[in-house]
Amino acid sequence: MIWLTWRQFRGSAAMMAALLVILATALALTGPGLASDYSAGIAACTQDNTCDRFYDHFFDRHETSFMALTLVVLLLPALAGIFWGAPLITRELEAGTHLMVWNQSITRGRWLAVKLGFMGLTTVAVAGLCGLMVTWWSDPLDKSAAEKLALMAPLVFGARGIAPMGYAAFAFVLGVTVGMLVRRTLPAMALTLAVFAAIQLAMPLLVRPHLMPPITSTFELGKTNVDGIGINRDRGGYVEIRLKSAVPGHAGAWVLSANLVDPSGRALGTDGGFAAAQVSTTSGPCAPSAGAGDGCMVEINRLGYRQQATYQPLERFWPFQWIETGIYALLTLGLTWFCFWWIRRRLS
């Protein structure tokens, strides 16, 4: 069975190995230079306090590569489920070769165990190597990315660390399961993609924010958490404040919600992303003649306006990685048990 499985799988495995070697070579050649540029830029910007500007310029120069590699890691598990998992059973059923194989000395359970073990471990290994290589290469960019592309952000989190291994194992066994139930290759591939995509969307929206209790705190307003201040004369001349998805003192945190609260602690509604604060604009630091700059920010803080944010700090990145990977491992084990039960009792 091992020899037969290798004969059937070696073409795809060789192609994937070649792509991994190309990717590893490219990352090994460019990674040290990227890290060196980052270290030199940090050393220079700390002297004149211009690191925010350096982060923006550094990330912008490499944003295309950053996004491309992130998408590669995110798509790899789905591709494994579609092209390796879904056809595993359907190919045998459509060709009728399962009737010959299962009538020999090899049992259905042994046949499936070898197939799942050999191809499943290969899938996990490929996703793990790809994810860890991209995590190593992207480290300087993860440190300089904006809030929406920070390490804990949903788009980036799934392409870093060990999480791709859990995704790949689940996607592969999901494809096998769907193939057993549907019995046709193309419908199984399409359904596998749809189900896996739905679960991948549900995880960061419904599950991941609650893997550990989020932290809720209030913060003074400043450059870290304020995106802009203006005066809207159509609304009585109130000062309008747009908040960022960031919290002071917790760089890289995943902000689940952020609201402007008044001195009584009541959350203020937003209009177009701006929240109105009842601060005098006829005179004082927030008057148009004063420019609504740092002095206005000080005045807003003095009056008691604050940012109230619920967030998951960056320090929880690795605990979240292990917990989420464990969840996918349990789902994979459940589907694996179902596959063995189904192939012995229902599949013919």
Side-chain angles (χ1 to χ4, degrees):
M1 270 306 302
I2 295 176
W3 177 85
L4 177 62
T5 302
W6 167 245
R7 292 273 298 181
Q8 293 176 328
F9 184 55
R10 62 182 178 180
S12 299
M15 180 180 297
M16 183 58 66
L19 294 175
L20 273 181
V21 169
I22 294 173
L23 177 63
T25 302
L27 296 182
L29 291 175
T30 58
L34 184 69
S36 177
D37 291 345
Y38 177 80
S39 298
I42 290 295
C45 74
T46 51
Q47 298 179 2
D48 53 7
N49 197 26
T50 59
C51 286
D52 288 342
R53 187 187 311 166
F54 164 74
Y55 289 147
D56 293 339
H57 292 167
F58 179 75
F59 187 83
D60 288 345
R61 291 201 307 270
H62 304 283
E63 184 175 5
T64 301
S65 300
F66 175 89
M67 293 302 301
L69 290 171
T70 298
L71 291 176
V72 166
V73 181
L74 290 175
L75 291 175
L76 187 59
L79 295 177
I82 295 171
F83 294 105
W84 288 359
L88 185 69
I89 294 291
T90 57
R91 181 173 51 201
E92 304 284 351
L93 295 175
E94 289 177 339
T97 53
H98 67 293
L99 298 175
M100 178 186 67
V101 175
W102 294 345
N103 287 325
Q104 304 300 317
S105 60
I106 299 172
T107 64
R108 299 183 180 195
R110 181 184 172 191
W111 179 89
L112 182 61
V114 174
K115 291 277 189 175
L116 288 180
F118 190 88
M119 297 180 65
L121 290 176
T122 302
T123 301
V124 172
V126 168
L129 287 173
C130 187
L132 292 175
M133 286 190 300
V134 172
T135 299
W136 168 78
W137 185 89
S138 301
D139 182 62
L141 295 172
D142 289 332
K143 294 176 180 177
S144 57
E147 297 83 11
K148 293 182 179 180
L149 293 176
L151 195 59
M152 286 288 286
L155 180 64
V156 179
F157 179 89
R160 300 291 186 268
I162 61 172
M165 300 171 65
Y167 302 158
F170 172 73
F172 174 73
V173 179
L174 175 66
V176 176
T177 305
V178 173
M180 282 188 177
L181 299 175
V182 176
R183 300 190 178 204
R184 292 292 182 269
T185 300
L186 291 180
M189 294 171 70
L191 188 57
T192 298
L193 177 59
V195 173
F196 182 70
I199 293 175
Q200 288 295 86
L201 289 175
M203 178 61 72
L205 293 175
L206 303 176
V207 179
R208 191 182 301 157
H210 309 289
L211 293 180
M212 297 177 69
I215 300 172
T216 300
S217 299
T218 56
F219 303 92
E220 287 193 354
L221 303 177
K223 293 182 179 180
T224 301
N225 53 3
V226 174
D227 192 33
I229 296 179
I231 299 174
N232 190 332
R233 301 186 185 281
D234 295 334
R235 299 179 62 186
Y238 292 152
V239 173
E240 292 194 324
I241 302 171
R242 184 198 296 270
L243 296 176
K244 294 181 181 179
S245 294
V247 290
H250 297 277
W254 179 22
V255 179
L256 305 176
S257 64
N259 298 294
L260 183 68
V261 296
D262 62 16
S264 65
R266 181 176 60 89
L268 303 178
T270 60
D271 182 9
F274 285 92
Q278 297 188 16
V279 181
S280 174
T281 58
T282 57
S283 61
C286 293
S289 58
D294 293 340
C296 184
M297 187 83 71
V298 172
E299 177 67 9
I300 294 171
N301 281 312
R302 186 189 68 80
L303 293 174
Y305 289 92
R306 296 289 185 269
Q307 175 203 36
Q308 185 179 72
T310 301
Y311 64 97
Q312 296 285 2
L314 180 61
E315 292 76 16
R316 294 181 177 179
F317 172 78
W318 280 110
F320 272 36
Q321 284 274 317
W322 285 105
I323 295 172
E324 188 162 318
T325 303
I327 292 174
Y328 276 90
L330 291 176
L331 292 174
T332 301
L333 290 175
L335 289 179
T336 301
W337 172 86
F338 177 82
C339 287
F340 278 100
W341 179 83
W342 190 267
I343 199 173
R344 288 170 178 167
R345 303 194 179 189
R346 296 296 185 91
L347 197 61
S348 61

